[in-house]
Amino acid sequence: MTDGNANASLKILRDRKTDTAGFRAAARKICASLMETLSALLRKQGADMKCTIFVVILRASIAFLDPAMRMFPHAAVGVVGLKRDEHTLVPRWYYENLPPLSKNSVVVVLDPMLATGGSAEAAVLRLIERGADRKRIYFAGIIAAPEGLSRLAQHIPQKNIVLAVVDEKLDANGMIVPGLGDFGDRYFGYKDT
């Protein structure tokens, strides 16, 4: 899962004292490392890199966009808007803009946090509905809870899931433990929400 550089970046992300600039720099490094891992995995599996499509789940996944485009400069990008209801933990769709998908598309869903797995599951099911082959759908994220990983692995091969680390569990509020707080809020500079 993680190498020495990713471990150092992960430690910075987990530190609640890390400021916004430091958080963004560490996120950039770990996302770049994950894109290298993903590239190696796709080559190993013989995937057609020219058919790669990244799907960003707004808003936290924007952190992956620059490292993904640097590693895969010809990839198309789709965007989906999903917001988890903090009481029910159920994702709500509010936006979708996807390029044409086919069984040959190599689709990579990006989301830094895989907690309950609800948003990732909703995105994957929509991609399958739009024509993607579940065996060619990948997921890249920084931290996962075992519950979210298990839920996502019901829809795509577990070998297609690239993560920096799997944490201990989810708490009663559906938050990853130990986690790192709200990734999006910290990345976008929102104060203690």
Side-chain angles (χ1 to χ4, degrees):
M1 297 244 186
T2 56
D3 61 19
N5 291 333
N7 280 331
S9 295
L10 194 54
K11 187 175 181 180
I12 293 167
L13 292 178
R14 289 190 194 275
D15 185 347
R16 295 297 291 169
K17 294 178 186 154
T18 299
D19 65 9
T20 301
F23 191 90
R24 288 176 181 162
R28 226 178 353 265
K29 286 180 185 173
I30 203 164
C31 289
S33 176
L34 288 165
M35 290 301 98
E36 289 174 12
T37 301
L38 174 67
S39 178
L41 175 64
L42 293 176
R43 284 193 307 273
K44 180 180 175 186
Q45 293 184 358
D48 184 353
M49 307 289 260
K50 294 176 185 159
C51 294
T52 305
I53 298 169
F54 285 98
V55 176
V56 176
I57 298 177
L58 293 176
R59 81 189 149 137
S61 301
I62 291 172
F64 271 103
L65 200 52
D66 182 60
M69 296 300 90
R70 287 179 188 272
M71 183 63 64
F72 300 86
H74 302 291
V77 177
V79 178
V80 296
L82 287 161
K83 178 139 178 74
R84 180 171 85 162
D85 182 299
E86 296 304 326
H87 299 290
T88 66
L89 305 182
V90 175
R92 177 184 59 81
W93 282 89
Y94 64 89
Y95 182 77
E96 176 182 325
N97 193 338
L98 296 169
L101 300 170
S102 74
K103 296 291 182 194
N104 294 325
S105 301
V106 177
V107 186
V108 183
V109 177
L110 302 171
D111 199 0
M113 307 293 282
L114 181 61
T116 65
S119 294
E121 176 185 57
V124 164
L125 292 175
R126 182 68 57 98
L127 293 168
I128 293 168
E129 183 182 298
R130 297 282 187 265
D133 179 348
R134 72 180 64 241
K135 293 177 185 169
R136 293 176 186 261
I137 298 175
Y138 294 77
F139 179 89
I142 297 173
I143 297 177
E147 298 90 335
L149 178 57
S150 176
R151 185 173 182 177
L152 183 57
Q154 293 176 28
H155 303 288
I156 64 173
Q158 188 158 342
K159 66 182 180 178
N160 290 7
I161 301 172
V162 176
L163 300 163
V165 68
V166 178
D167 275 2
E168 294 173 29
K169 62 182 179 177
L170 290 176
D171 68 13
N173 297 314
M175 301 297 286
I176 300 172
V177 176
L180 51 74
D182 187 303
F183 185 97
D185 283 357
R186 294 188 71 198
Y187 186 85
F188 287 102
Y190 291 31
K191 303 293 182 202
D192 286 331
T193 57

